[in-house]
Amino acid sequence: MNIQPISPQKCATLIQQSKMTIALSGAGISTAAGIPDFRGPGGIFSTGKYDGQLVFDIDHFHHDPSEFFRFTRDLAATVDKLQPTFTHEFLARLETAGLLEAVVTQNIDPLHAMAGSQRVVSVHGSYATSHCLACGKSYDYQQLLALLGQQEIPRCDCESQGLIKPDVVFFGEAVTKMPEAQSLAAQSELMLVLGSSLTVYPVAMLPGLAGGAVVIVNTQPVQLPPAPNRYFAAQSLDSFFRQVATEIF
Ligand code: OAD
């Protein structure tokens, strides 16, 4: 693979020289905040705590949503105690300094917004809103939480008592905001790929559309099609970006 190791100093230089930088984040950016990723060691698909095939499968959800709501209750129980990581905050600081155009995230946690990032493209949706699958009524996050406290499976107060589904993208559903993400990728001079296994499509194709350099930071190897200007740092995100930050700020 045509991929070169990169130091924090070189990464800082690329950020300072680029006129159009975007970040593509995955679950690995939030592990240091206490949210397990999916496929890393200790990830929710690896530990067997949830059935990875079923949690986000849209056909299974229609048939039996209990596994998804078990996952949702566990996530909701942690959200109030969450703090963004150093890397979330670093990305927000870069944006404020005019050095980052946008964060494209696969994550459904709210940590980028909590850190202060303004332009966050949530390609896998979020829990901010939910909808009744029968009548389309919209529920905000607080209303969903209230229903989860009252009912095993949240249902709408409409005539059909429809199932309420958070606006999170499931396997088998269209990925929202891909046109915006693709356009950002194509315009980018630098793409920072942070804590994603790059195994879930169509998001995993975004680095292949990048207009310039791609820097991947991940504690584990990541497969990428060969291309020039590909860099890899085999480090934990917070440790790598603490060093990058000292060069920039
Ligand atoms: P994965 O769990 O597949 O990958 C997370 C990656 O982050 C792994 O490669 C880890 O090695 C790495 N990692 C974990 N902690 C790290 C740290 N502190 N520093 C550096 N690297 C770290 O997560 P995603 O690629 O985001 O989809 O998964 C993609 C999609 O799969 C998710 O959005 C979700 C899931 O099914 C939906 O919910 C639709």
Side-chain angles (χ1 to χ4, degrees), residues 33-153:
I35 305 176
D37 62 7
F38 296 92
R39 297 170 191 83
I44 64 167
F45 292 175
S46 327
T47 56
K49 185 167 184 203
Y50 307 96
D51 187 329
Q53 293 304 313
L54 298 185
V55 178
F56 292 108
D57 183 288
I58 193 64
D59 292 331
H60 184 78
F61 180 81
H62 287 295
H63 166 71
D64 175 10
S66 56
E67 186 74 349
F68 172 77
F69 283 114
R70 188 162 73 90
F71 168 83
T72 297
R73 280 197 171 80
D74 285 356
L75 185 65
T78 64
V79 158
D80 286 348
K81 299 170 213 124
L82 288 180
Q83 292 289 335
T85 66
F86 180 87
T87 306
H88 288 100
E89 282 167 356
F90 172 72
L91 293 177
R93 283 172 75 193
L94 278 186
E95 186 182 15
T96 305
L99 291 170
L100 184 77
E101 178 66 26
V103 178
V104 175
T105 188
Q106 298 167 84
N107 298 344
I108 52 179
D109 68 54
L111 291 177
H112 283 299
M114 282 169 70
S117 285
Q118 299 292 314
R119 187 168 179 195
V120 181
V121 182
S122 297
V123 275
H124 286 167
S126 81
Y127 278 97
T129 53
S130 302
H131 284 89
C132 167
L133 294 182
C135 74
K137 179 173 170 183
S138 177
Y139 291 81
D140 67 21
Y141 181 64
Q142 292 307 326
Q143 290 170 312
L144 175 72
L145 282 189
L147 287 173
L148 283 173
Q150 296 155 12
Q151 306 170 11
E152 191 59 32
I153 305 293

Side-chain angles (χ1 to χ4, degrees), residues 16 20 31 86 105 128 138 222 225 247:
Q16 285 165 325
M20 165 57 176
T31 51
F86 180 87
T105 188
S138 177
V222 173
E247 302 288 324

Side-chain angles (χ1 to χ4, degrees), residues 26-28 31 37-39 106 124 169 171 195-197 200 218-219 237:
T31 51
D37 62 7
F38 296 92
R39 297 170 191 83
Q106 298 167 84
H124 286 167
V169 176
F171 289 113
S196 175
S197 60
V200 174
N218 198 306
T219 43
L237 288 161

